[in-house]
Amino acid sequence: MHRDEVRGASSSLCFITLLNNMVDKNAVQKAVEEWLAGKEYFLVDLSVSADDRIVVVIDHAEGVWIEDCADLSRYIESQISREEEDYELEVGSAGLGQPFRVKRQYEIHVGHDVETQTLDGHKYKGTLTSVDDGGFSIEAMEKVKEEGRKRPVSKLVTRHFNFDEVAYTKYLIKIK
């Protein structure tokens, strides 16, 4: 066998070994779902990078407590052996000013002021009034040109958005 062939063969074996040692995202997801069962917390995002960095983001209607993030972190570590997998684990909350990632975040913010930016760049601010499987509605005061009037008038307008037509929606933090 030629030297390059041996080098290529051993590289393939190393690659296969690396794949076998990667953290299984399904195992992490299962552990997270077990911890979430019966709690009002919900999963917002879960990622496992190629270098075994696990990031878990959770949320709750009343906010996320640091103690619960630590508890979830310990639970995941009890389910994914550090002796078999070398990984970095980060468990955190979605963050108040961060864009919504899952439908449940929209649902817990019904009645709150939000900002939505559509994929074409238009921004809308208003009160999130409803959420369904396809999207959500925002109610806001807008200047509308009515027939027979010279000037636009402020009017309460409801706009419906499909989830796939928005770049982001986020909770508007009001400073009083």
Side-chain angles (χ1 to χ4, degrees), residues 78-91:
S78 75
Q79 302 298 306
I80 312 292
S81 172
R82 287 221 183 248
E83 291 176 17
E84 293 176 24
E85 310 290 346
D86 183 26
Y87 59 87
E88 177 185 346
L89 176 61
E90 179 183 325
V91 176

Side-chain angles (χ1 to χ4, degrees), residues 31-43 58-59 72:
V32 171
E33 288 171 357
E34 287 173 1
W35 185 86
L36 291 172
K39 296 179 174 71
E40 291 186 32
Y41 282 96
F42 57 94
L43 181 63
I58 59 173
D59 206 349
L72 174 54

Side-chain angles (χ1 to χ4, degrees), residues 5 23 25 47 85 92-93 105 122 139 152 170:
E5 291 175 43
V23 173
K25 184 176 180 178
S47 63
E85 310 290 346
S93 67
Q105 288 179 294
H122 290 88
E139 191 174 75
K170 61 184 178 180

Side-chain angles (χ1 to χ4, degrees), residues 3-28:
R3 184 176 182 179
D4 289 337
E5 291 175 43
V6 173
R7 189 175 303 145
S10 64
S11 295
S12 296
L13 291 175
C14 290
F15 182 71
I16 291 168
T17 303
L18 286 173
L19 283 177
N20 288 338
N21 286 337
M22 289 178 63
V23 173
D24 180 14
K25 184 176 180 178
N26 293 329
V28 177

Side-chain angles (χ1 to χ4, degrees), residues 82-143:
R82 287 221 183 248
E83 291 176 17
E84 293 176 24
E85 310 290 346
D86 183 26
Y87 59 87
E88 177 185 346
L89 176 61
E90 179 183 325
V91 176
S93 67
L96 196 53
Q98 297 299 311
F100 301 161
R101 296 184 187 169
V102 296
K103 181 181 166 198
R104 182 76 179 109
Q105 288 179 294
Y106 286 85
E107 292 169 346
I108 65 174
H109 287 93
V110 168
H112 297 125
D113 288 339
V114 296
E115 176 182 275
T116 293
Q117 181 174 324
T118 59
L119 293 175
D120 63 6
H122 290 88
K123 284 187 182 179
Y124 300 91
K125 294 180 183 179
T127 303
L128 182 61
T129 56
S130 66
V131 181
D132 58 39
D133 288 338
F136 60 97
S137 295
I138 294 177
E139 191 174 75
M141 293 301 286
E142 293 183 14
K143 296 237 183 225

Side-chain angles (χ1 to χ4, degrees), residues 57-81:
V57 179
I58 59 173
D59 206 349
H60 186 284
E62 296 174 11
V64 176
W65 294 95
I66 189 79
E67 294 84 7
D68 290 322
C69 289
D71 187 43
L72 174 54
S73 180
R74 283 189 295 273
Y75 186 78
I76 293 169
E77 288 178 337
S78 75
Q79 302 298 306
I80 312 292
S81 172

